[in-house]
Structures are given as C-alpha cells and as structure tokens.
Amino acid sequence: MRTIDAVRRSGVAIEPHRTVQDAAAVMERSGVGALAIVDDERLVGIVTDRDLVRRALARRLPLDARVDSVMSTPVVTIAADADLHDAFALFRSHAVRRLAVVREDRFVGMISVDDLLVDVAADLADLARPVTAEVLFAHRDSPVPATAGKG
Amino acid sequence: MRTPDEMERDRYGFPVAALTGDTVARITPEANLNEIADALTAGTVGALVMGHEDAVEGIVSERDLVRALADRCDPARTCAADIAHRELVWCDAAATVGEVAREMMEHYVRHVLVEEEGRLVGIVSARDLLGAYAALDGPTAD
C-alpha cells in the first residue's frame, strides 16, 4: 500500500507570515489539527493545535505573532509513493505524530499516527472506524478542507 | 456458537479504567485561556475538567482553545466557563472499552468522564480508545 493511499484528507497549508490566529481559523474551518507551513511551494514547517496551545497561548504570544514562530521544523517527510511500512518506520524512529507527504518536494498531504491506527484497528473492528472517523478527526459540520488561500 | 456481539465484547471487554491516568487535571471556571493553556501544558493532557474543588461543571480541551482563537476571543478576557462543554458523558470505571466507544459515538464526544462510586476518577479520550484498539489488534507493519 502506498502512503498516499492512507492519507485521509487533503493537506491544508498556510504561509509562514500568517498569524497564530489565522492558523487557528484555518484549522477550525478545515477541521484539521495540523497545518503545513509552505513558503513559495517549499515546505518549511508544521504547526499543530497543540503548538498553538503550548507555544503560543501558554507563552503569552500575541495572536498576531507569525505562525512560523510556533511551528516545528525540520519536518519529517515521506514520499507519496513510498510503501506505508516506511511510514511506520519513520514514526518509530522520529517520535512524531504526523508526517508530511510530499511528491517531488511539494506538500500533498499529511498522515498521522492516528490514520495508521485507524487502518490497523478498522481492519478487525468495525467499531473503530466510526469512532475515529466521526469522533476523533472530523468536525461534525466541517466541509472537506482545501488548501488555505494566500493571505 | 458465540454471536458477533459476544465476540466483540470479549475483544474489548477490559475496563476503561485501565486507560485513565492517576489524576485528573482541573481548572476553575474563572481561568482565562492563557491559564487553561498553562494547565494543559503542565499536565501534558489534552483536556481539563472545569469546576470548583470536586465539582464537575464542564470539560475544556485543546481543540476548544483553538476554536476560541479562531473566533478571535481575547485570551486574557475569555474564561473556561465561556468555552467549556457542559453536556458531559459519564461512564462507570468498570465499563468496557467497547461500551465507552459506543457512548462516544452516540453522544458525539471525544472525552468521557470515568466515575467510580460516584466520584470522578479519570477522563478517557477517543485517542485512548484508538490506542487500545491498535494494541489489541496489533500492527503488523514489520
């Protein structure tokens, strides 16, 4: 199985000069918990909902602080066509919860530990799929996300 | 011959209390967003119980904070009482993982409060359950 085939939703990106508040709004609108930080088509970082809480709010950063001030970098990436087993290996070796999926160095999606757990669990337990799909990841009223527009 | 329901009960039949931590991180209703973030960070948890002393008035999660930021709430002037979820779902500490998963689905919540003899003893999240499923079913990626 290719990694790209396990990606459950379109990747959502934001530019590094956008603000912490912008990032929160994009996450909320898109129903995702992590955004790629993309500068002129170059992937430069990743920011999660947890980063906004722990690196921005807990540190009293102003909400108009640049989002790249709270992002994680460098980003651990995996090629879209890589075997999914390679993703398991990267999660194990890098202690991260998410990998950026790239094709020819361009960001195309995000895959999380949770995505992989869903596949593992759902293969054997129908119960896991609705729990994860409906409760863990999605916002009830969120549309399918698209890449955030340029700001 | 066992029914599918019985087989599922066997698989996910261990108590949900096995997934909860030793303590429940708490916050008062008056705490502002910065203070909530402090408590989440200090407790390395994703959700807090809101209430005075032993009272349980709501739950505040990381995602609630992000939603508040998205709504342009002022972190210093917005408090836990403004953003907390108050429709709480409880389960008994002896409830099984499968039973709690169904409660989450039915009520569409990510966190369920765990009680024992009428006392709050933990919070279990959808991610906790997912980890339990994976551990039981076992990744075979190697």
Side-chain angles (χ1 to χ4, degrees):
Chain A
M1 184 178 185
R2 297 181 310 160
T3 297
I4 192 69
D5 296 327
V7 173
R8 293 181 172 274
R9 54 178 62 207
S10 304
V12 184
I14 190 171
E15 295 168 308
H17 69 269
R18 300 279 289 275
T19 68
V20 165
Q21 197 277 330
D22 290 337
V26 172
M27 283 183 192
E28 184 62 15
R29 191 167 62 240
S30 305
V32 297
L35 305 175
I37 312 295
V38 174
D39 186 16
D40 195 21
E41 299 191 355
R42 190 170 58 90
L43 178 65
V44 296
I46 183 172
V47 65
T48 68
D49 47 8
R50 184 157 291 180
D51 293 331
L52 299 186
V53 171
R54 298 186 180 185
R55 297 179 179 174
L57 269 178
R59 295 180 184 175
R60 275 55 171 178
L61 286 189
L63 299 188
D64 60 358
R66 286 174 58 120
V67 70
D68 60 358
S69 67
V70 298
M71 71 182 184
S72 294
T73 188
V75 185
V76 183
T77 63
I78 187 166
D81 293 327
D83 191 282
L84 191 57
H85 287 183
D86 296 339
F88 277 104
L90 282 171
F91 280 123
R92 273 200 298 269
S93 60
H94 287 78
V96 293
R97 294 192 64 85
R98 294 177 175 89
L99 300 174
V101 182
V102 297
R103 178 169 278 143
E104 296 175 354
D105 290 334
R106 294 184 64 172
F107 171 73
V108 295
M110 200 86 76
I111 187 166
S112 70
V113 171
D114 298 331
D115 292 327
L116 300 186
L117 292 179
V118 170
D119 287 332
V120 168
D123 281 349
L124 295 173
D126 289 341
L127 196 57
R129 189 175 298 280
V131 166
T132 52
E134 299 299 322
V135 177
L136 184 57
F137 299 127
H139 292 202
R140 189 197 293 267
D141 299 317
S142 296
V144 175
T147 300
K150 292 179 180 296
Chain B
M1 184 174 173
R2 292 183 306 162
T3 66
D5 278 352
E6 288 170 337
M7 292 171 67
E8 183 185 289
R9 223 168 12 247
D10 286 348
R11 178 181 291 276
Y12 303 116
F14 67 91
V16 72
L19 303 178
T20 59
D22 293 335
T23 59
V24 177
R26 304 181 66 101
I27 196 81
T28 64
E30 296 78 20
N32 67 29
L33 301 192
N34 295 124
E35 292 164 339
I36 297 169
D38 290 342
L40 288 167
T41 304
T44 60
V45 293
L48 304 166
V49 168
M50 182 192 77
H52 290 110
E53 299 181 355
D54 289 338
V56 179
E57 300 172 35
I59 290 181
V60 184
S61 69
E62 288 175 332
R63 193 159 292 210
D64 296 323
L65 287 186
V66 171
R67 185 172 298 123
L69 296 185
D71 290 342
R72 298 182 175 277
C73 296
D74 181 342
R77 296 174 183 274
T78 306
C79 63
D82 297 326
I83 66 170
H85 288 270
R86 294 175 185 273
E87 294 175 10
L88 305 178
V89 178
W90 292 79
C91 71
D92 190 86
T96 67
V97 168
E99 289 167 344
V100 177
R102 279 192 210 90
E103 286 292 304
M104 282 188 180
M105 284 186 281
E106 187 173 322
H107 297 281
Y108 209 85
V109 295
R110 294 165 193 273
H111 298 95
V112 171
L113 298 166
V114 182
E115 68 174 329
E116 190 168 34
E117 297 177 353
R119 188 173 59 88
L120 174 68
V121 294
I123 303 177
V124 65
S125 70
R127 185 163 284 147
D128 295 330
L129 297 189
L130 185 55
Y133 284 127
L136 286 169
D137 291 336
T140 54
D142 287 329

